mmCIF file of all heavy atoms in Angstrom:
data_model
loop_
_atom_site.group_PDB
_atom_site.id
_atom_site.type_symbol
_atom_site.label_atom_id
_atom_site.label_comp_id
_atom_site.label_asym_id
_atom_site.label_seq_id
_atom_site.Cartn_x
_atom_site.Cartn_y
_atom_site.Cartn_z
ATOM 1 N N ASP A 1 10.124 -13.329 -12.074
ATOM 2 C CA ASP A 1 9.971 -14.077 -10.825
ATOM 3 C C ASP A 1 11.159 -13.920 -9.888
ATOM 4 O O ASP A 1 11.177 -14.492 -8.800
ATOM 5 C CB ASP A 1 9.785 -15.572 -11.118
ATOM 6 C CG ASP A 1 8.458 -15.849 -11.815
ATOM 7 O OD1 ASP A 1 7.523 -15.057 -11.607
ATOM 8 O OD2 ASP A 1 8.373 -16.842 -12.558
ATOM 9 N N VAL A 2 12.189 -13.187 -10.309
ATOM 10 C CA VAL A 2 13.372 -13.020 -9.469
ATOM 11 C C VAL A 2 12.990 -12.327 -8.167
ATOM 12 O O VAL A 2 12.324 -11.291 -8.169
ATOM 13 C CB VAL A 2 14.453 -12.191 -10.206
ATOM 14 C CG1 VAL A 2 15.614 -11.900 -9.261
ATOM 15 C CG2 VAL A 2 14.938 -12.938 -11.431
ATOM 16 N N VAL A 3 13.404 -12.928 -7.049
ATOM 17 C CA VAL A 3 13.140 -12.359 -5.727
ATOM 18 C C VAL A 3 14.469 -11.913 -5.122
ATOM 19 O O VAL A 3 15.352 -12.740 -4.899
ATOM 20 C CB VAL A 3 12.469 -13.391 -4.794
ATOM 21 C CG1 VAL A 3 12.244 -12.791 -3.415
ATOM 22 C CG2 VAL A 3 11.157 -13.867 -5.406
ATOM 23 N N PRO A 4 14.653 -10.613 -4.877
ATOM 24 C CA PRO A 4 15.931 -10.153 -4.319
ATOM 25 C C PRO A 4 16.150 -10.692 -2.912
ATOM 26 O O PRO A 4 15.195 -10.895 -2.156
ATOM 27 C CB PRO A 4 15.784 -8.620 -4.315
ATOM 28 C CG PRO A 4 14.310 -8.379 -4.288
ATOM 29 C CD PRO A 4 13.687 -9.509 -5.052
ATOM 30 N N ALA A 5 17.408 -10.928 -2.578
ATOM 31 C CA ALA A 5 17.740 -11.402 -1.233
ATOM 32 C C ALA A 5 17.507 -10.293 -0.211
ATOM 33 O O ALA A 5 17.754 -9.120 -0.477
ATOM 34 C CB ALA A 5 19.190 -11.856 -1.182
ATOM 35 N N VAL A 6 16.998 -10.661 0.943
ATOM 36 C CA VAL A 6 16.711 -9.707 2.007
ATOM 37 C C VAL A 6 17.463 -10.127 3.262
ATOM 38 O O VAL A 6 17.417 -11.293 3.665
ATOM 39 C CB VAL A 6 15.196 -9.650 2.302
ATOM 40 C CG1 VAL A 6 14.919 -8.678 3.452
ATOM 41 C CG2 VAL A 6 14.425 -9.233 1.057
ATOM 42 N N TYR A 7 18.181 -9.181 3.861
ATOM 43 C CA TYR A 7 18.922 -9.449 5.089
ATOM 44 C C TYR A 7 18.417 -8.498 6.171
ATOM 45 O O TYR A 7 18.918 -7.389 6.326
ATOM 46 C CB TYR A 7 20.426 -9.268 4.871
ATOM 47 C CG TYR A 7 20.956 -10.157 3.774
ATOM 48 C CD1 TYR A 7 21.112 -9.674 2.473
ATOM 49 C CD2 TYR A 7 21.283 -11.478 4.034
ATOM 50 C CE1 TYR A 7 21.588 -10.502 1.459
ATOM 51 C CE2 TYR A 7 21.762 -12.308 3.032
ATOM 52 C CZ TYR A 7 21.910 -11.815 1.754
ATOM 53 O OH TYR A 7 22.377 -12.621 0.750
ATOM 54 N N PRO A 8 17.396 -8.922 6.951
ATOM 55 C CA PRO A 8 16.762 -8.006 7.899
ATOM 56 C C PRO A 8 17.624 -7.666 9.100
ATOM 57 O O PRO A 8 17.323 -6.744 9.827
ATOM 58 C CB PRO A 8 15.512 -8.789 8.338
ATOM 59 C CG PRO A 8 15.880 -10.233 8.132
ATOM 60 C CD PRO A 8 16.791 -10.245 6.938
ATOM 61 N N TYR A 9 18.698 -8.425 9.346
ATOM 62 C CA TYR A 9 19.501 -8.189 10.546
ATOM 63 C C TYR A 9 20.942 -7.885 10.167
ATOM 64 O O TYR A 9 21.881 -8.512 10.673
ATOM 65 C CB TYR A 9 19.430 -9.409 11.465
ATOM 66 C CG TYR A 9 18.021 -9.777 11.862
ATOM 67 C CD1 TYR A 9 17.382 -10.866 11.289
ATOM 68 C CD2 TYR A 9 17.318 -9.016 12.791
ATOM 69 C CE1 TYR A 9 16.081 -11.199 11.640
ATOM 70 C CE2 TYR A 9 16.026 -9.334 13.144
ATOM 71 C CZ TYR A 9 15.405 -10.429 12.569
ATOM 72 O OH TYR A 9 14.121 -10.755 12.914
ATOM 73 N N ALA A 10 21.140 -6.926 9.259
ATOM 74 C CA ALA A 10 22.485 -6.570 8.819
ATOM 75 C C ALA A 10 23.305 -5.968 9.967
ATOM 76 O O ALA A 10 24.518 -6.135 10.033
ATOM 77 C CB ALA A 10 22.416 -5.579 7.655
ATOM 78 N N ASP A 11 22.652 -5.273 10.905
ATOM 79 C CA ASP A 11 23.337 -4.692 12.060
ATOM 80 C C ASP A 11 23.616 -5.797 13.078
ATOM 81 O O ASP A 11 22.685 -6.459 13.553
ATOM 82 C CB ASP A 11 22.443 -3.615 12.680
ATOM 83 C CG ASP A 11 23.101 -2.954 13.887
ATOM 84 O OD1 ASP A 11 24.264 -3.301 14.200
ATOM 85 O OD2 ASP A 11 22.440 -2.111 14.523
ATOM 86 N N PRO A 12 24.890 -6.033 13.445
ATOM 87 C CA PRO A 12 25.204 -7.105 14.406
ATOM 88 C C PRO A 12 24.446 -6.977 15.720
ATOM 89 O O PRO A 12 24.093 -7.987 16.332
ATOM 90 C CB PRO A 12 26.720 -6.937 14.616
ATOM 91 C CG PRO A 12 27.214 -6.285 13.365
ATOM 92 C CD PRO A 12 26.107 -5.376 12.928
ATOM 93 N N GLU A 13 24.174 -5.742 16.151
ATOM 94 C CA GLU A 13 23.457 -5.549 17.409
ATOM 95 C C GLU A 13 22.031 -6.081 17.327
ATOM 96 O O GLU A 13 21.435 -6.466 18.337
ATOM 97 C CB GLU A 13 23.450 -4.064 17.798
ATOM 98 C CG GLU A 13 24.772 -3.568 18.336
ATOM 99 C CD GLU A 13 25.196 -4.337 19.588
ATOM 100 O OE1 GLU A 13 24.380 -4.471 20.521
ATOM 101 O OE2 GLU A 13 26.345 -4.812 19.622
ATOM 102 N N ALA A 14 21.489 -6.114 16.095
ATOM 103 C CA ALA A 14 20.116 -6.604 15.915
ATOM 104 C C ALA A 14 20.025 -8.111 16.113
ATOM 105 O O ALA A 14 18.930 -8.663 16.236
ATOM 106 C CB ALA A 14 19.598 -6.232 14.523
ATOM 107 N N LEU A 15 21.168 -8.791 16.145
ATOM 108 C CA LEU A 15 21.184 -10.236 16.331
ATOM 109 C C LEU A 15 21.144 -10.627 17.804
ATOM 110 O O LEU A 15 20.978 -11.800 18.124
ATOM 111 C CB LEU A 15 22.431 -10.844 15.682
ATOM 112 C CG LEU A 15 22.537 -10.715 14.166
ATOM 113 C CD1 LEU A 15 23.862 -11.277 13.685
ATOM 114 C CD2 LEU A 15 21.379 -11.423 13.485
ATOM 115 N N ARG A 16 21.315 -9.679 18.687
ATOM 116 C CA ARG A 16 21.333 -9.979 20.111
ATOM 117 C C ARG A 16 19.908 -10.151 20.632
ATOM 118 O O ARG A 16 18.941 -9.694 20.014
ATOM 119 C CB ARG A 16 22.051 -8.871 20.887
ATOM 120 C CG ARG A 16 23.491 -8.651 20.436
ATOM 121 C CD ARG A 16 24.193 -7.609 21.287
ATOM 122 N NE ARG A 16 24.265 -8.045 22.690
ATOM 123 C CZ ARG A 16 25.195 -8.875 23.161
ATOM 124 N NH1 ARG A 16 26.119 -9.354 22.353
ATOM 125 N NH2 ARG A 16 25.199 -9.218 24.428
ATOM 126 N N GLY A 17 19.787 -10.838 21.772
ATOM 127 C CA GLY A 17 18.466 -11.033 22.347
ATOM 128 C C GLY A 17 18.550 -11.364 23.817
ATOM 129 O O GLY A 17 19.614 -11.703 24.342
ATOM 130 N N THR A 18 17.409 -11.264 24.490
ATOM 131 C CA THR A 18 17.346 -11.565 25.929
ATOM 132 C C THR A 18 16.374 -12.705 26.212
ATOM 133 O O THR A 18 16.120 -13.024 27.382
ATOM 134 C CB THR A 18 16.891 -10.306 26.704
ATOM 135 O OG1 THR A 18 15.611 -9.879 26.194
ATOM 136 C CG2 THR A 18 17.896 -9.176 26.549
ATOM 137 N N GLU A 19 15.859 -13.340 25.163
ATOM 138 C CA GLU A 19 14.882 -14.398 25.351
ATOM 139 C C GLU A 19 15.523 -15.670 25.917
ATOM 140 O O GLU A 19 16.748 -15.802 25.963
ATOM 141 C CB GLU A 19 14.192 -14.733 24.027
ATOM 142 C CG GLU A 19 13.303 -13.628 23.486
ATOM 143 C CD GLU A 19 14.036 -12.663 22.560
ATOM 144 O OE1 GLU A 19 15.294 -12.648 22.605
ATOM 145 O OE2 GLU A 19 13.372 -11.946 21.802
ATOM 146 N N THR A 20 14.661 -16.588 26.332
ATOM 147 C CA THR A 20 15.113 -17.881 26.855
ATOM 148 C C THR A 20 14.960 -18.949 25.767
ATOM 149 O O THR A 20 13.896 -19.089 25.163
ATOM 150 C CB THR A 20 14.300 -18.288 28.097
ATOM 151 O OG1 THR A 20 14.509 -17.313 29.126
ATOM 152 C CG2 THR A 20 14.730 -19.659 28.609
ATOM 153 N N VAL A 21 16.047 -19.682 25.533
ATOM 154 C CA VAL A 21 16.089 -20.698 24.488
ATOM 155 C C VAL A 21 16.366 -22.061 25.121
ATOM 156 O O VAL A 21 17.317 -22.204 25.909
ATOM 157 C CB VAL A 21 17.184 -20.390 23.449
ATOM 158 C CG1 VAL A 21 17.252 -21.491 22.390
ATOM 159 C CG2 VAL A 21 16.932 -19.025 22.787
ATOM 160 N N LEU A 22 15.538 -23.047 24.800
ATOM 161 C CA LEU A 22 15.794 -24.430 25.206
ATOM 162 C C LEU A 22 16.536 -25.112 24.069
ATOM 163 O O LEU A 22 15.999 -25.300 22.977
ATOM 164 C CB LEU A 22 14.482 -25.152 25.497
ATOM 165 C CG LEU A 22 14.588 -26.671 25.745
ATOM 166 C CD1 LEU A 22 15.520 -26.974 26.912
ATOM 167 C CD2 LEU A 22 13.206 -27.274 25.991
ATOM 168 N N LEU A 23 17.798 -25.471 24.324
ATOM 169 C CA LEU A 23 18.660 -26.082 23.322
ATOM 170 C C LEU A 23 18.716 -27.590 23.553
ATOM 171 O O LEU A 23 19.143 -28.050 24.622
ATOM 172 C CB LEU A 23 20.065 -25.479 23.417
ATOM 173 C CG LEU A 23 21.163 -26.149 22.591
ATOM 174 C CD1 LEU A 23 20.870 -26.027 21.100
ATOM 175 C CD2 LEU A 23 22.519 -25.535 22.921
ATOM 176 N N VAL A 24 18.296 -28.368 22.528
ATOM 177 C CA VAL A 24 18.303 -29.826 22.632
ATOM 178 C C VAL A 24 19.191 -30.371 21.514
ATOM 179 O O VAL A 24 18.860 -30.245 20.336
ATOM 180 C CB VAL A 24 16.883 -30.412 22.516
ATOM 181 C CG1 VAL A 24 16.912 -31.916 22.796
ATOM 182 C CG2 VAL A 24 15.932 -29.704 23.471
ATOM 183 N N GLU A 25 20.318 -30.948 21.899
ATOM 184 C CA GLU A 25 21.313 -31.460 20.946
ATOM 185 C C GLU A 25 22.003 -32.665 21.575
ATOM 186 O O GLU A 25 22.533 -32.565 22.681
ATOM 187 C CB GLU A 25 22.323 -30.359 20.609
ATOM 188 C CG GLU A 25 23.561 -30.800 19.866
ATOM 189 C CD GLU A 25 23.272 -31.415 18.518
ATOM 190 O OE1 GLU A 25 22.688 -30.721 17.673
ATOM 191 O OE2 GLU A 25 23.613 -32.600 18.334
ATOM 192 N N ASP A 26 21.997 -33.802 20.864
ATOM 193 C CA ASP A 26 22.559 -35.021 21.456
ATOM 194 C C ASP A 26 24.075 -35.084 21.357
ATOM 195 O O ASP A 26 24.698 -35.920 22.012
ATOM 196 C CB ASP A 26 21.927 -36.267 20.824
ATOM 197 C CG ASP A 26 22.178 -36.364 19.331
ATOM 198 O OD1 ASP A 26 22.082 -35.329 18.642
ATOM 199 O OD2 ASP A 26 22.467 -37.466 18.852
ATOM 200 N N ASN A 27 24.694 -34.219 20.536
ATOM 201 C CA ASN A 27 26.152 -34.168 20.477
ATOM 202 C C ASN A 27 26.645 -33.206 21.557
ATOM 203 O O ASN A 27 26.414 -31.989 21.464
ATOM 204 C CB ASN A 27 26.598 -33.693 19.088
ATOM 205 C CG ASN A 27 28.108 -33.694 18.928
ATOM 206 O OD1 ASN A 27 28.810 -33.006 19.655
ATOM 207 N ND2 ASN A 27 28.605 -34.459 17.976
ATOM 208 N N PRO A 28 27.307 -33.700 22.610
ATOM 209 C CA PRO A 28 27.656 -32.828 23.748
ATOM 210 C C PRO A 28 28.599 -31.687 23.392
ATOM 211 O O PRO A 28 28.449 -30.572 23.907
ATOM 212 C CB PRO A 28 28.308 -33.792 24.758
ATOM 213 C CG PRO A 28 28.711 -34.996 23.956
ATOM 214 C CD PRO A 28 27.732 -35.095 22.832
ATOM 215 N N SER A 29 29.565 -31.932 22.499
ATOM 216 C CA SER A 29 30.507 -30.867 22.127
ATOM 217 C C SER A 29 29.794 -29.761 21.364
ATOM 218 O O SER A 29 30.011 -28.570 21.608
ATOM 219 C CB SER A 29 31.649 -31.448 21.288
ATOM 220 O OG SER A 29 32.375 -32.401 22.013
ATOM 221 N N LEU A 30 28.937 -30.143 20.430
ATOM 222 C CA LEU A 30 28.201 -29.146 19.656
ATOM 223 C C LEU A 30 27.200 -28.409 20.542
ATOM 224 O O LEU A 30 26.982 -27.205 20.382
ATOM 225 C CB LEU A 30 27.486 -29.825 18.481
ATOM 226 C CG LEU A 30 26.703 -28.910 17.539
ATOM 227 C CD1 LEU A 30 27.591 -27.793 16.998
ATOM 228 C CD2 LEU A 30 26.104 -29.725 16.392
ATOM 229 N N ARG A 31 26.608 -29.115 21.496
ATOM 230 C CA ARG A 31 25.668 -28.464 22.414
ATOM 231 C C ARG A 31 26.378 -27.408 23.247
ATOM 232 O O ARG A 31 25.878 -26.291 23.418
ATOM 233 C CB ARG A 31 25.016 -29.518 23.321
ATOM 234 C CG ARG A 31 23.923 -28.939 24.226
ATOM 235 C CD ARG A 31 23.167 -30.026 24.969
ATOM 236 N NE ARG A 31 23.995 -30.726 25.944
ATOM 237 C CZ ARG A 31 24.421 -31.978 25.809
ATOM 238 N NH1 ARG A 31 24.104 -32.682 24.734
ATOM 239 N NH2 ARG A 31 25.168 -32.533 26.758
ATOM 240 N N THR A 32 27.557 -27.734 23.762
ATOM 241 C CA THR A 32 28.327 -26.774 24.558
ATOM 242 C C THR A 32 28.706 -25.549 23.732
ATOM 243 O O THR A 32 28.601 -24.404 24.186
ATOM 244 C CB THR A 32 29.603 -27.449 25.104
ATOM 245 O OG1 THR A 32 29.226 -28.536 25.951
ATOM 246 C CG2 THR A 32 30.448 -26.458 25.900
ATOM 247 N N LEU A 33 29.157 -25.789 22.498
ATOM 248 C CA LEU A 33 29.554 -24.695 21.623
ATOM 249 C C LEU A 33 28.381 -23.783 21.307
ATOM 250 O O LEU A 33 28.476 -22.550 21.393
ATOM 251 C CB LEU A 33 30.143 -25.262 20.330
ATOM 252 C CG LEU A 33 30.409 -24.275 19.191
ATOM 253 C CD1 LEU A 33 31.414 -23.222 19.627
ATOM 254 C CD2 LEU A 33 30.898 -25.021 17.957
ATOM 255 N N THR A 34 27.243 -24.367 20.929
ATOM 256 C CA THR A 34 26.056 -23.574 20.583
ATOM 257 C C THR A 34 25.571 -22.779 21.782
ATOM 258 O O THR A 34 25.184 -21.607 21.663
ATOM 259 C CB THR A 34 24.933 -24.494 20.070
ATOM 260 O OG1 THR A 34 25.429 -25.302 19.000
ATOM 261 C CG2 THR A 34 23.745 -23.672 19.571
ATOM 262 N N CYS A 35 25.604 -23.403 22.946
ATOM 263 C CA CYS A 35 25.208 -22.719 24.176
ATOM 264 C C CYS A 35 26.089 -21.493 24.423
ATOM 265 O O CYS A 35 25.588 -20.401 24.704
ATOM 266 C CB CYS A 35 25.302 -23.692 25.349
ATOM 267 S SG CYS A 35 24.922 -22.962 26.946
ATOM 268 N N GLU A 36 27.399 -21.658 24.300
ATOM 269 C CA GLU A 36 28.327 -20.549 24.534
ATOM 270 C C GLU A 36 28.088 -19.415 23.542
ATOM 271 O O GLU A 36 28.085 -18.232 23.897
ATOM 272 C CB GLU A 36 29.767 -21.043 24.429
ATOM 273 C CG GLU A 36 30.807 -19.957 24.696
ATOM 274 C CD GLU A 36 32.231 -20.495 24.652
ATOM 275 O OE1 GLU A 36 32.396 -21.728 24.558
ATOM 276 O OE2 GLU A 36 33.161 -19.676 24.697
ATOM 277 N N PHE A 37 27.860 -19.766 22.263
ATOM 278 C CA PHE A 37 27.643 -18.748 21.237
ATOM 279 C C PHE A 37 26.381 -17.940 21.518
ATOM 280 O O PHE A 37 26.396 -16.703 21.459
ATOM 281 C CB PHE A 37 27.546 -19.424 19.864
ATOM 282 C CG PHE A 37 27.289 -18.457 18.744
ATOM 283 C CD1 PHE A 37 28.316 -17.688 18.208
ATOM 284 C CD2 PHE A 37 26.013 -18.303 18.227
ATOM 285 C CE1 PHE A 37 28.069 -16.787 17.178
ATOM 286 C CE2 PHE A 37 25.759 -17.411 17.197
ATOM 287 C CZ PHE A 37 26.798 -16.653 16.673
ATOM 288 N N LEU A 38 25.288 -18.622 21.840
ATOM 289 C CA LEU A 38 24.020 -17.918 22.071
ATOM 290 C C LEU A 38 24.069 -17.101 23.359
ATOM 291 O O LEU A 38 23.465 -16.027 23.446
ATOM 292 C CB LEU A 38 22.865 -18.918 22.104
ATOM 293 C CG LEU A 38 22.552 -19.602 20.758
ATOM 294 C CD1 LEU A 38 21.463 -20.656 20.928
ATOM 295 C CD2 LEU A 38 22.135 -18.573 19.701
ATOM 296 N N GLN A 39 24.773 -17.588 24.356
ATOM 297 C CA GLN A 39 24.916 -16.809 25.601
ATOM 298 C C GLN A 39 25.685 -15.517 25.342
ATOM 299 O O GLN A 39 25.372 -14.485 25.936
ATOM 300 C CB GLN A 39 25.626 -17.656 26.658
ATOM 301 C CG GLN A 39 24.734 -18.725 27.276
ATOM 302 C CD GLN A 39 25.482 -19.631 28.229
ATOM 303 O OE1 GLN A 39 26.691 -19.821 28.108
ATOM 304 N NE2 GLN A 39 24.769 -20.213 29.181
ATOM 305 N N LYS A 40 26.684 -15.560 24.450
ATOM 306 C CA LYS A 40 27.424 -14.347 24.103
ATOM 307 C C LYS A 40 26.509 -13.304 23.456
ATOM 308 O O LYS A 40 26.790 -12.100 23.504
ATOM 309 C CB LYS A 40 28.583 -14.674 23.166
ATOM 310 C CG LYS A 40 29.806 -15.250 23.865
ATOM 311 C CD LYS A 40 30.920 -15.522 22.880
ATOM 312 C CE LYS A 40 32.195 -15.945 23.596
ATOM 313 N NZ LYS A 40 32.817 -14.840 24.344
ATOM 314 N N LEU A 41 25.428 -13.763 22.829
ATOM 315 C CA LEU A 41 24.472 -12.853 22.201
ATOM 316 C C LEU A 41 23.431 -12.348 23.197
ATOM 317 O O LEU A 41 22.571 -11.542 22.828
ATOM 318 C CB LEU A 41 23.767 -13.542 21.026
ATOM 319 C CG LEU A 41 24.643 -13.851 19.809
ATOM 320 C CD1 LEU A 41 23.845 -14.618 18.753
ATOM 321 C CD2 LEU A 41 25.204 -12.564 19.195
ATOM 322 N N GLY A 42 23.471 -12.837 24.431
ATOM 323 C CA GLY A 42 22.570 -12.335 25.458
ATOM 324 C C GLY A 42 21.423 -13.242 25.822
ATOM 325 O O GLY A 42 20.622 -12.920 26.720
#
């Protein structure tokens, strides 16, 4: 029953995207941080 681990996005470039994300987070500091991180990914 052992299931090997799968990492479909091993290439860092594969983690980037151009989609639109609606981020809803009630902690303002964490919301700002998450927003900045995802914007860096495109």
Side-chain angles (χ1 to χ4, degrees):
D1 293 333
V2 174
V3 178
V6 178
Y7 302 96
Y9 303 104
D11 181 3
E13 285 300 310
L15 296 176
R16 301 184 62 82
T18 58
E19 293 90 342
T20 298
V21 178
L22 172 58
L23 171 64
V24 187
E25 168 61 60
D26 61 318
N27 183 300
S29 298
L30 182 55
R31 185 172 67 251
T32 299
L33 170 61
T34 306
C35 177
E36 182 177 352
F37 179 79
L38 292 175
Q39 285 175 333
K40 281 181 173 290
L41 292 176

